[in-house]
Amino acid sequence: LSMKSLRSIAGLGTEIVELVEHFQIVAIRKADSMEELMEISANVVTDSPSLKEKIFEGFKDRQKISDTYVDGMEICLLHCKVDAVCHSRFKYISLTEPMMTAKGFLKGAVVMIVQKEVEDDILIEPVGRLSALLVEDQRFLQALLSRDQAAGTRYIEKALVKYYQQEVLKIMEV
């Protein structure tokens, strides 16, 4: 086992612990626009005014590339890469009053933040794994939509621990 492999294993484990421990479902009454939802989402991620602005701008830039609304799920995926964050974050903003968009009703936003510059791409993979979990396991999406923090945390933890075990085995084989 090389030092590089050891760093990958340790770094990945730290990212997973950070994601699980900082996962939140936050209910807000409503957002009148996508821009307001992006601003609220940035505020949920951090208290730092400068980082809030970077995250908000990252969301807006991503929205310009393509719409983040997910057909059939009534959610959007607000995501960006930001410098000045130490660890990835995954949160769900639930709208108690769904917002009407051009594509349909929006019940909430999945918020995913990853580091802009990482030494090892494996460190941003857990967020991608959670994004895939939304499609692969309807129970996870239902936990988010129903604002069930405990169930959401269980699904995240189970999926990321399984992912971690698979990645460690791959790294150990090399």
Side-chain angles (χ1 to χ4, degrees), residues 4 18 32 47 74 85 89 112 119 139 142 159 161 174:
K4 182 178 188 268
E18 285 285 328
D32 292 322
D47 293 326
E74 297 181 321
V85 294
R89 293 291 182 250
M112 298 174 285
E119 290 178 23
R139 297 171 302 173
Q142 284 309 119
V161 167
V174 173

Side-chain angles (χ1 to χ4, degrees), residues 23-37:
F23 167 68
Q24 283 180 285
I25 296 176
V26 178
I28 61 166
R29 193 168 71 80
K30 68 177 189 164
D32 292 322
S33 67
M34 194 58 143
E35 192 160 306
E36 183 181 3
L37 182 57

